[in-house]
Amino acid sequence: MKALVKGAGVAGLTLAFELASHGADVTVIEKRHRLAGSASWAAGGMLAPWCERESAEEAVVTLGRLALDWWDSILPGQVVRTGTLVAAPARDTGELDRFARRTAGFATIGEEAVAALEPDLAGRFRRGLFFAEEAHLDPRRALVSLKDRLVGMGVRFEFGYGAVRVPETIDIEADCTGIAAGVPDLRGVRGEMLLLHAPEVSLARPVRLLHPRFPVYVVPRADHLFMVGATMIESNASEPVTARSMMELLGAAYALHPAFGEAEIVEAGVGVRPAFADNLPRVSREGNRISINGLYRHGFLLAPAMARQAADMIFSTQRELAHAPHH
Amino acid sequence: MLELYGQKFSSRLLLGTALYPSPAIMADAVEAARNEIVTVSLRREAAGGRTGGKFWSLIQSLGVRVLPNTAGCHSVKEAVTTAQMAREVFATNWIKLEVIGNHDTLQPDVFGLVEAAGILSGDGFEVFPYTTDDLVVAERLLEAGCKLLMPWCAPIGSARGPQNVDALRSLRGHFPDVPLIVDAGIGRPSHAAAVMELGYDAVLLNTAVAKAGDPIAMAGAFAKAIEAGREAFLAGPLEPRDMAVPSTPVIGMAAFS
Ligand SMILES: Cc1cc2nc3c(=O)[nH]c(=O)nc-3n(C[C@H](O)[C@H](O)[C@H](O)COP(=O)(O)OP(=O)(O)OC[C@H]3O[C@@H](n4cnc5c(N)ncnc54)[C@H](O)[C@@H]3O)c2cc1C
């Protein structure tokens, strides 16, 4: 079976993997010249289904929990299973109670336990929620490694519009173009993020700092790089980060640890999350065209489950066709 | 019927559209409350009106009246410019005017508010000013051209409910014919019922519904409380007394047996 996957974001690459590992002959075409620049490239890389439940439906937990093992088995060593720490400034501890009411799978911990988990935060938070089962990965490293892995499996990649040569005979075409798909009820939710280099700060896990208006998280990456995210703005605009958003993100990082004040701003990025009205992703199919979209805040978390659903749909109809009586 | 700048409404709940788990849940909450007016932030939700197109058409599809707001504005100039942009984007003269004086508490800058209200009223806007419960500021806002007032009952997002009932009562007493809408500070349906019992005309909410465990059910609960508060006000509630007063005559009964 020949498959064409449009879009090399997390949706396209995970689907390419599922199709190729079922033996399909896969070509991925990507409009841009490189992997960088998609919404997936801007992501935090948190695999945090229990925390996300705070503002999402139960499906995000049931489908999302599969993602940790999926990434772990495909990119061994990249999934960091150190959990998530949720904290709030002293005057916003009410937010911590609200978060706790809306979620499960955590332990409420005191000052000493916070310090034991994150020595750099010692004395800064009297109370926190620890989601021990959660994990994170570096999304850019994961996308690049997944692409390399796919190439090793025989998947062809065509980058840049000009280079696109659509194979003449394809059995299935998959649209994984994110916000560019132009599906009628798909909307963009703009997310702004910063990449900081803070040699003085060490964190072992993502920390979510609650705030009634701008909750922010900080995800540690290798070499004292930190991803600080993210705004949520109802907009398709991919223009540069605004000063206001930058101040909010930096203000939160600074509230988490004053040493972030000395950090270098390595990058200020923007991604447009594709979302449907219920903020849940969809696999849809029409003839030999299939699409995965609407991953919203949960690209790395839900793409594996969506890719599996899509692959199941494709291969079960393949089997039906193969066994159908001939006339 | 609630009458705001010549428009009549049967619902006395104005609902904000921010902070919901998803637009679908927001739309269901609006329906559950049989809500007729929603507020939308040009800056925070629609990215300055540039390309929040999908969200905006989703709001339009609710078939409710839109009250754009100037949330996030800290100066008269910013608020006036934002109001003008909102008029273009949302095609309405209505504007909920917020001029923030304190970044942290989002307390209104009442001086800037009066000034901006004057400029916008002069420019043909129908201004809904988000103010404190201060009586003199209220007078100045009316002088500046506002035909209604939106006092807080507690700081924005604090969910504390009415903090200064006497000030709210005094506003109602001084301006019997001006529509008064409590904006900010309501956390629970009982708070909403309490201000409606004082004779307030309507309540504006966002966080209390959007961040509830079940926003749709909470929107319905608020709608009922607001209706109950309104009916209670019209029915004339008893005034509290210092001592118990039996509801049946005591004389002649074996009260001391
Ligand atoms: C700031 C931010 C933080 C986030 N943090 C997290 C997180 O911590 N965890 C998590 O799970 N999710 C997170 N997300 C969400 C996640 O990034 C998105 O859900 C996900 O990236 C969407 O993936 P996608 O493949 O559908 O779209 P994209 O990543 O946008 O990929 C679509 C690709 O299709 C290409 N394309 C477009 N048109 C065409 C065409 N005609 N032909 C070929 N190619 C085309 C595009 O160039 C693009 O590369 C975050 C998002 C943002 C913005």
Side-chain angles (χ1 to χ4, degrees), chain A residues 266-317:
Chain A
V266 177
E267 184 186 319
V270 173
V272 179
R273 309 172 183 93
F276 291 112
D278 58 3
N279 290 343
L280 290 173
R282 279 181 212 162
V283 177
S284 49
R285 168 159 204 188
E286 223 176 275
N288 69 340
R289 287 159 180 266
I290 198 153
S291 84
I292 299 179
N293 218 324
L295 285 165
Y296 182 53
R297 283 168 64 101
H298 308 126
F300 288 81
L301 187 61
L302 298 182
M306 293 297 110
R308 279 208 171 141
Q309 270 183 30
D312 284 350
M313 263 188 208
I314 292 165
F315 291 106
S316 62
T317 27

Side-chain angles (χ1 to χ4, degrees), chain B residues 39 48 68 76 115 219:
Chain B
T39 61
V76 173
E115 191 186 334

